[in-house]
């Protein structure tokens, strides 16, 4: 029984945690208040540390820590609230190229993504609604991409986009350079202004298929894998929220006692702890499935995603509530976690989508 | 059972309706209340003057102070009718709802006579200064020091969560005058001119971006002893009068409800059909309908009691206890229905002009301001169900012997 | 504003409460332990008091208190846990005859139902599943009823049954005398053995249509009206559960204090109180709609039913939980409320059925 | 990450598997445990003897007492493998899991030598007598009096919730020997022969109809002082040893789970289609799957820690905190899916042999026995998160000065 990250990855975690504690502190607040949606200086450092290439083989400029390595770093990024296009670039764009690109695309695109000189984003949604092939209306025909994608997280700062498109009845993924003519970007106001979100319009813009990603199942395969990585990022945020709430409950006094001595607070935080432990365990199984290519990837990913979404939303809400009046002031960090929790829960299919996907997989397995 | 007025109530309602029809514009969508800026305050003052002139201000107050000497039910009827019109009413809620009733209860008649009229006519606005950074749910834990100096008291410290402090003329102020006795026994109540030297008001920015509250800093502010309400050390008793009036004002909070969610659900898709056909969506719509209607009908039961001459009590705590977290849950669920587009908060782009995104950000304050979820449940448990109070370790010790937070 | 029962009905309530406190105490436990499913002596007294005819006009042997009168008595019956076929006979069978019977049927059937010498039951279900016209397979053709109905609450002790049947495509209600040949009854074990439940088999048994009850909407009209009455019975049980929990929390000590001084118990019981108040208010509106024939009877009934089901289930669960170890012993009365709560929540369409019905009505109104 | 054994673990597992294959029948559906009657107890004794003979009883106990001197991980591996076989194991859980370890920790070696062997070989069964009618969650509030009389103690009072008392040979008994000191300081632990004169055992009937527990009445029961464990007044410390072993034994509770609900949902109809297609049903299936898998994987994380030589702590409280109310919720929801037929509890008639109806009736006990929901959350808050204990009013006062419940 070895259901824990390796000692090597424990060291990676410790290094990431310590680096982010020093360098990412205040990153989300600066990004929020200055409306940059992005901490460019931190991004450069993160690129130099190799994190963006954690799951990219060394042959393509990565450091080859594997998917479990990326999970560990994702959790720390989530804990720190760093305002980075980390998920868009490392969990989605780079993974898409790695999974579905041909040799030329990998060699051309991955090294820049690994070092951070390229920033990837993932353009799937075209307005409200859960991911579905019918909702993909952008067209790639004859090497020209036309359509409007919104919202695209980090769409305003990315250099390349992996885009869900259709060619007649077939849906798949293509990759487009965002510096070419025909691309226009409009920033979108969102519930978490510490993160960049944009609408991307493509007007006969040059783009190329990722050859392995033709058909909706390939898109879903990418989503499943990314869901595990998002779950770790959410888990880190949830744990940080609980830690913050517990520290405040120990420090703050009312009625002559620490507020953490009231059962209303104690049981609230116990509920949060339980949600986080269930999420952590599901995320661990997701990491195992990701690394080992287990047969139940969809169940593993869906369960990790559903549990992590619940944990971070609950933890950030109740952290704010535990802080009382200070919790809803702009100056407190409570809202940074609260905003990020909802942002991350929406970014890749919300909880209802993943619950439905999970039960679908269980029905299929049960019937098979 | 019926929902009809008594003949007296019906006559009063007709009188109110005639006044409003002649003096105000009916609401045309929206709450009718814009941001609370200078021009809003000026409009509010003008409207209050008009109300007072027509005899609809201070409806339940004694005639000798310029009130109408009416019944609580008449107050409710006036509010029901006024809510149909586009008038700026909230600016005076705290002053007329809480501060002036406290003044009338504790000030000498000649002092009340000086202040009640101007407040009633909208000439002077009042705010309430109780909470402090270290004393929120536990108001009696406040630290603001008032020390006697000849005929004055000298006040130093900080208040917080003071609604309307930046446009108020007077304030009701709870202070600690004796830290050497147990916490509830060392408090004293004053009122003061908010333009007194040494008073500084700063707006608090909330996560929703608005600023409904202020911090108020006191540096050597002098208050004449004549502006004391109640005896020194009796401030907690005076404050309970104020807070009792606060409780009566608690209603359900504004925000999106099952109706808005039903509207959204008809336009969103789940598995290729309208979300309103999805079982999980329907379950929530039903449960939120039941909650909302339950609160609405509970209010009718309380109004019936009021109409029969009884006074509503701590039962009113259930409004906020239910609706605050409901709004947060509805907002969260609605964003999930939109999926990734739920993050977009631009009213031009987001479904239904971003009511759900806005609610996500303002709803956490609803679970805290005016009594946290936890405090409301304690009130219900103790004051409605008669369960024992929490064990108190701070009742008998001298305040300055308690550990600070 | 007059949203409260009249003083006259206040007196009816006081009388019912005091009578049941004296005479119904132990009724449920005796019925449970002796497996009679029914307190025959109490039934006779209740008949003499006129309660069964509360909503039956005096012309048909009732006392003409109206629907609101029956609501008030229903709440007290619920509070007392009396083991009576009260709901089956008064909310369902008698109401069906009153609403849908012809003059001859009313004159023949209602007086006996009003005085309790007849006991009615309502036979709708034919196995698992929510009420629906498709699920009605029993046939009434040429005055002969054939089919099997289960579960039928009070089916083992009733003298007449109102039965949902079909004649080709048309579904409706008929009435059958249960003493005739062709009727067989099998007792069913249930989660609440204090109440009688049976399967009724009809083999070419004589029965007659209730002429007003042809078509599924008539069946649903009966269900809507009965739902309000059930809501009051559930409300009474919920309030009794809360009272019992509060009394125990005041009396029982642990760690040197009344357990009611712990916030875990205080907030639990506050939640129960809130659920009950919301249920009470919705039930009141249901009573108003019932008496005044308001246009929104379906919404009123569904909301009353959903709220009351939730309140009684929660109150009885948490009453048991508040009692700790004693709560799950046979000797404690906690389980009598817990069983009855689930019994009443299932007897006339469970909560999912009523939620769906409520939203359907809201959609219809919203679209109209 | 992987779920593989270490080489040592794999070798031990193979050894266990070989023993079980040779000596027991594989499980063929069901839990394999019938009602605990005399014949069941006899079979359990026989199986325990066989295990002991093969060296698989007392796996973690010292060799000098007849144990194997193995690791906690070996204990877990044995339990995992044994769970695949139809063997009667539960009868010995309390005795071998809690009572004998306490005895080994506190009794003189010669006393342990007398009792450990027979317990290990299934010749003597032990039960634990701590809880009382007035001392459930608050075990230290127990009142059972033990008074010194020459070389004996004379015990009077009542215990309750004693699993297996009716077939036990010995019991571990916590008593109050000094009511004049604070509650935790006046307790003393003994063990006794359950056939001692004055001991009377009565079964408790639960609402589910079964009787898993007993009341035990003590009338002038004499216990030799030689059967005292620990010093007089030190009983609470001894009891903590026992209770620590109890916590390690807590697992998730048996009962219907998402799998059973999915099976049911495929056969029930909602709006003319299988209930498993309904959004509200799917939402619950998903959430319960996530909870169950979360607990299962949490156990794997704890086993990993155990395998690396760490001991699991109070975190294990989350198993019962989650699964007890989950079973009640699943049962309630499943009955709703069946609608009125959900009330029928006859296994011949009810869907899936009435597993859900049975669960409705036994699940409330799961939220109470072995630690209430509320106590488990207190444990998590205090012992995992490090939040302060509840305010205690009973710590310092003499026990007999506390109000009785």
């Amino acid at each position: 029984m070895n259901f824990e990250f390796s000692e090597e990855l424990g060291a990676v975690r410790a290094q990431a945690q310590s680096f982010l504690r020093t360098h990412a502190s205040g990153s989300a607040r600066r990004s929020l208040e200055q409306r940059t949606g992005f901490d460019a200086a931190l991004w450069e450092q993160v690129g130099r540390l190799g994190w963006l290439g954690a799951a990219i083989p060394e042959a393509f400029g990565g450091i080859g820590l594997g998917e479990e390595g990326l999970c560990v770093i994702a959790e720390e990024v989530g804990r720190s609230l760093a305002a980075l296009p980390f998920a868009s670039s490392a969990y989605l764009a780079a993974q898409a190229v790695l999974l579905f690109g041909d040799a030329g695309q990998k060699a051309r695109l991955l090294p820049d993504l690994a070092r951070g000189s390229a920033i990837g984003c993932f353009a799937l949604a075209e307005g409200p609604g859960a991911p579905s092939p019918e909702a993909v209306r952008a067209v790639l025909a004859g090497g020209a991409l036309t359509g409007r994608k919104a919202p695209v997280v980090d769409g305003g700062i990315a250099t390349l986009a992996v885009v869900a498109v259709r060619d007649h009845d077939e849906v798949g993924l293509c990759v487009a350079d965002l510096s070419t003519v025909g691309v226009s970007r409009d920033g979108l106001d969102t519930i978490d202004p510490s993160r960049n979100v944009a609408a991307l319009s493509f007007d006969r813009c040059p783009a190329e298929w990722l050859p392995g990603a033709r058909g909706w199942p390939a898109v879903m395969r990418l989503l499943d894998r990314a869901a595990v990585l998002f779950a770790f990022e959410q888990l880190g945020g949830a744990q940080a929220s609980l830690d913050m709430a517990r520290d405040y409950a120990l420090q703050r006094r009312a009625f002559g006692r620490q507020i953490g001595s009231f059962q209303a607070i104690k049981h609230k935080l116990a509920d949060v702890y339980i949600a986080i432990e269930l999420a952590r365990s599901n995320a661990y199984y997701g990491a195992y499935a990701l690394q080992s290519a287990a047969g139940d990837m969809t169940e593993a990913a869906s369960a990790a995603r559903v549990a992590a979404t619940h944990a971070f939303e609950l933890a950030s809400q109740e952290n704010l509530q535990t802080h009382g009046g200070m919790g809803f002031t702009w100056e407190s960090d409570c809202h940074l976690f609260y905003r990020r929790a909802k942002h991350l829960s929406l970014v890749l299919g919300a909880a209802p989508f993943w619950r439905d996907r999970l039960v679908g997989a269980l029905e299929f397995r049960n019937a098979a | 059972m019926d929902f009809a007025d008594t003949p007296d109530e019906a006559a009063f309602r007709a009188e109110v309706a005639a006044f409003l029809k002649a003096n105000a514009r009916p609401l045309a969508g929206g709450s009718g209340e814009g941001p609370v800026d200078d021009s809003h305050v000026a409009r509010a003052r003008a409207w209050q003057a008009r109300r007072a002139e027509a005899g609809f201000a201070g409806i339940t107050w004694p005639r000798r102070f310029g009130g109408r000497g009416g019944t609580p039910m008449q107050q409710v009827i006036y509010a029901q009718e006024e809510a149909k019109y586009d008038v700026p009413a909230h600016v005076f809620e705290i002053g007329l709802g809480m501060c002036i009733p406290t003044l009338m209860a504790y000030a000498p008649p000649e002092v009340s006579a000086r202040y009640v009229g101007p407040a009633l006519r909208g000439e002077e606005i009042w705010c309430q200064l109780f909470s402090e950074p270290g004393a929120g749910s536990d108001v009696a834990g406040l630290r603001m020091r008032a020390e006697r100096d000849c005929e004055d008291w000298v006040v130093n410290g900080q208040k917080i969560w003071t609604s309307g402090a930046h446009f108020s003329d007077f304030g009701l102020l709870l202070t600690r005058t004796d830290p050497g006795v147990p916490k509830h026994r060392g408090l004293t109540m004053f009122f003061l001119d908010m333009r007194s030297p040494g008073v500084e008001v700063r707006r608090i920015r909330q996560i929703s971006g608005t600023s409904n509250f202020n911090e108020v800093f006191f540096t050597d502010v002098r208050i004449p002893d004549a502006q004391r309400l109640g005896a020194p050390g009796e401030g907690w008793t005076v404050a309970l009068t104020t807070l009792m009036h606060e409780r009566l004002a608690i209603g359900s909070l504004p925000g999106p409800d099952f109706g808005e969610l039903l509207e959204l659900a008809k336009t969103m898709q789940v598995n290729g059909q309208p979300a309103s056909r999805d079982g999980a969506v329907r379950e929530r719509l039903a449960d939120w309908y039941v909650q909302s209607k339950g609160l609405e009908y509970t209010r009718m039961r309380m109004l019936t009691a009021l109409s029969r001459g009884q006074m509503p009590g701590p039962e009113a705590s259930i409004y906020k206890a239910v609706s605050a977290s409901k709004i947060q849950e509805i907002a969260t669920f609605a964003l999930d229905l939109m999926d990734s587009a739920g993050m977009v908060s631009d009213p031009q782009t987001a479904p239904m002009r971003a009511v759900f995104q806005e609610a996500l950000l303002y709803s956490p304050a609803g679970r805290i301001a005016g009594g946290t979820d936890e405090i409301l449940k304690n009130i219900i448990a103790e004051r409605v169900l008669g369960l024992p109070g929490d064990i108190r370790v701070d009742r008998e010790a001298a305040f300055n012997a308690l550990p600070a937070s």
Side-chain angles (χ1 to χ4, degrees), chain A, chain B:
Chain A
M1 185 64 60
N2 185 29
F3 191 53
E4 181 54 88
F5 291 106
S6 67
E7 277 183 35
E8 184 200 355
L9 292 181
V12 169
R13 177 194 299 285
Q15 182 232 30
Q17 204 170 101
S18 133
F19 172 81
L20 288 166
R21 198 180 298 125
T22 314
H23 296 89
S25 158
S27 163
R29 180 169 291 279
R30 277 194 307 277
S31 177
L32 180 77
E33 301 201 331
Q34 298 163 12
R35 300 258 157 184
T36 54
F38 172 43
D39 187 334
L42 184 63
W43 180 253
E44 218 177 285
Q45 291 175 291
V46 159
R48 273 202 298 273
L49 286 168
W51 294 358
L52 298 164
I56 296 176
E58 294 173 48
F60 298 119
I63 59 175
L65 282 179
E67 286 84 352
E68 287 187 13
L70 192 53
C71 289
V72 163
I73 296 170
E75 184 176 343
E76 297 310 318
V77 168
R79 192 191 308 271
S80 76
L81 280 187
L84 296 175
F86 192 76
S88 301
S89 206
Y91 316 161
L92 286 161
Q95 283 284 317
V97 173
L98 195 58
L99 286 169
F100 305 126
D102 60 28
Q105 289 168 328
K106 289 184 195 176
R108 193 172 80 244
L109 300 172
L110 289 175
D112 284 349
L113 286 168
R115 82 172 68 90
S117 54
I119 298 175
C121 68
F122 180 60
L124 172 58
E126 302 182 24
S132 81
E134 294 76 24
V136 176
R137 287 173 302 257
V139 168
L140 177 61
L145 166 59
T146 299
R148 184 170 187 278
K149 292 285 179 179
V152 180
V153 177
D154 301 311
I157 55 174
T159 60
L160 70 85
V162 170
V163 187
V165 289
R166 67 167 55 245
D167 178 9
H168 298 94
D169 282 349
E170 191 180 52
V171 170
L173 299 176
C174 71
V175 62
D177 181 341
L178 293 178
S179 63
T180 60
V181 288
V183 176
S184 60
R185 322 191 197 199
D186 298 299
L188 294 173
D189 288 339
T190 75
I191 53 168
D192 183 7
S194 76
R195 299 299 313 277
N196 176 277
V197 181
L200 294 186
S201 296
F202 301 95
D203 180 11
R204 285 160 295 167
C205 168
E208 51 186 272
W209 286 101
L210 290 171
R214 303 198 67 145
W216 184 248
V219 179
M220 292 310 302
R221 187 167 162 229
L222 179 66
L223 257 62
D224 278 349
R225 295 175 64 85
V228 174
L229 297 160
F230 273 101
F232 275 95
E233 188 167 328
Q234 292 172 298
L235 184 63
Q239 186 66 53
S241 302
L242 175 58
D243 292 348
M244 190 176 167
R246 187 208 42 220
D247 291 350
Y248 190 77
L250 287 171
Q251 164 226 320
R252 172 79 177 182
R253 289 177 165 270
F255 305 102
R257 357 182 335 195
Q258 293 160 292
I259 63 169
S261 71
F262 287 102
Q263 284 187 337
I265 300 291
K266 289 167 72 167
H267 291 195
K268 180 198 297 299
L269 298 187
D271 287 338
V272 172
Y273 170 81
I274 289 170
I276 289 176
E277 284 308 290
L278 296 180
R280 184 180 307 284
S281 296
N282 275 296
Y284 270 44
Y285 191 78
Y288 164 77
L290 199 58
Q291 180 99 339
S292 67
D296 55 353
M297 186 68 220
T298 297
E299 291 95 316
S302 307
R305 173 75 171 155
V306 169
T309 291
H310 172 63
F312 195 10
E313 290 196 353
L314 179 71
S316 65
Q317 283 173 10
E318 300 308 331
N319 175 40
L320 195 157
Q321 180 73 13
T322 302
H323 276 72
M326 299 314 300
F328 63 82
T329 63
W330 189 265
E331 281 65 36
S332 160
D333 280 354
C334 293
H335 70 112
L336 304 179
F337 286 98
Y338 180 66
R339 292 171 188 276
R340 185 64 60 85
K342 198 66 213 165
H343 171 92
L344 286 176
S345 82
L346 294 170
V347 76
L348 186 84
F353 168 81
W354 287 103
R355 287 200 192 95
D356 190 64
R357 181 160 174 76
L358 171 58
V359 177
L362 293 175
E363 286 177 307
F364 178 78
R365 189 166 305 277
N366 195 278
Chain B
M1 291 183 188
D2 60 65
F3 297 104
D5 287 331
T6 64
D8 282 356
E9 289 166 3
F12 180 76
R13 191 183 296 277
E15 199 186 327
V16 171
F19 162 71
L20 288 165
K21 193 172 175 197
N23 290 277
R25 276 200 318 275
L27 260 191
S31 73
E33 299 252 2
V36 183
D37 53 17
D38 287 354
S39 90
H40 180 91
V41 173
R43 286 196 302 124
R45 286 183 194 265
W47 174 245
Q48 184 65 27
R50 183 107 45 107
R51 272 173 65 165
E53 196 180 21
F56 294 120
I59 289 173
T60 60
W61 296 1
R63 287 173 181 273
R64 69 178 180 283
F65 289 127
R68 186 187 183 95
T71 65
M73 196 63 204
Q74 289 180 328
Q75 175 66 49
V76 166
I77 288 170
Y78 180 83
Q80 288 174 337
E81 294 299 312
E82 197 191 64
K84 302 172 187 168
Y85 287 82
D86 181 13
V87 296
H90 294 340
V91 159
F92 291 91
E93 272 175 2
I94 288 169
L96 300 180
M98 300 167 67
C99 301
I100 300 294
T102 307
L103 193 80
M104 290 191 289
Y106 285 94
E110 66 280 10
V111 174
S112 289
R114 151 67 187 86
Y115 291 99
V116 176
L120 211 53
R121 294 188 297 272
E123 294 157 15
E124 292 171 356
I125 301 177
W126 286 63
C127 64
Q128 177 216 308
L129 301 131
F130 287 11
S131 299
E132 297 184 6
S137 294
D138 179 18
V139 175
L142 62 85
R143 315 189 77 78
M144 177 173 277
R145 220 34 196 100
E147 288 172 296
R148 189 69 188 252
D149 181 34
C150 303
E151 278 313 290
D152 288 348
W153 295 78
V154 180
V155 180
N156 282 285
Q158 181 193 351
K159 293 292 177 181
I160 196 169
W161 313 125
T162 318
S163 302
H166 56 298
F167 55 72
S168 288
D169 304 289
F170 292 90
L172 193 66
L173 179 72
L174 190 57
T175 65
R176 184 165 304 281
T177 46
D178 186 354
V181 298
K183 59 194 284 192
H184 292 89
R185 293 184 223 150
L187 303 174
T188 303
M189 185 77 82
F190 299 94
F191 67 91
L192 87 160
D193 186 329
M194 289 296 286
R195 275 89 183 186
S196 305
V199 175
E200 188 200 346
V201 176
R202 286 187 213 155
R203 311 290 293 270
I204 296 173
R205 187 173 179 197
Q206 293 156 234
I207 64 178
S208 57
T210 59
S211 295
N212 295 337
F213 303 104
N214 299 279
E215 295 177 288
V216 186
F217 296 86
F218 286 70
T219 311
D220 291 335
V221 176
R222 299 190 80 84
I223 303 179
D225 185 56
Q227 291 176 203
R228 178 168 43 74
L229 296 174
E234 293 295 319
W236 186 243
T237 308
V238 182
L240 288 179
T241 307
T242 317
L243 296 172
M244 188 191 72
H245 283 89
E246 179 174 35
R247 195 161 336 96
L248 297 181
I250 292 175
S252 57
L253 302 168
D257 208 333
F258 68 90
E260 286 79 5
L261 191 65
L262 178 57
E263 195 180 330
L264 178 74
K266 286 179 173 175
T267 63
M268 295 291 118
Q269 297 273 310
V270 169
N271 285 326
Q273 58 175 2
S276 57
R277 301 302 313 157
D278 179 73
V281 177
R282 291 172 84 78
E283 177 171 316
R284 283 179 173 79
L285 282 168
D287 284 343
W288 284 324
Y289 176 91
V290 167
Q291 284 188 347
S292 291
K293 290 294 170 177
L295 290 181
E296 182 184 327
Y297 303 142
T298 299
R299 182 178 294 275
M300 290 178 185
R301 287 169 51 218
M302 289 186 192
L303 290 181
T304 301
L306 202 62
S307 170
R308 294 177 179 187
Q310 300 150 20
M311 280 301 284
E315 303 83 10
S317 302
I318 82 167
Y319 286 106
K320 211 173 91 70
V322 172
S323 46
S325 52
K326 177 156 67 86
I327 296 170
Q328 187 171 39
E329 288 160 17
I330 288 177
T332 301
F333 186 72
L335 267 56
D336 282 349
L337 274 187
M338 303 175 206
D339 208 89
S340 63
M343 69 176 66
V344 179
S345 59
D346 179 352
Q348 304 300 320
T349 315
M352 300 181 65
R353 298 191 54 75
V355 288
F356 298 108
Q357 284 77 13
E358 285 172 13
L360 184 84
L361 295 180
Y362 67 65
S363 59
R367 291 179 56 197
I368 295 165
T372 63
D373 289 359
E374 292 75 19
I375 291 289
L376 294 175
K377 287 193 183 169
N378 255 18
I379 289 173
I380 290 171
E382 294 172 17
R383 311 210 25 207
V384 181
L385 299 178
L387 294 170
D390 294 337
I391 302 280
R392 293 293 292 265
V393 295
D394 59 343
R395 278 249 181 253
E396 300 310 324
F399 180 74
N400 55 16
L402 296 174
S405 66

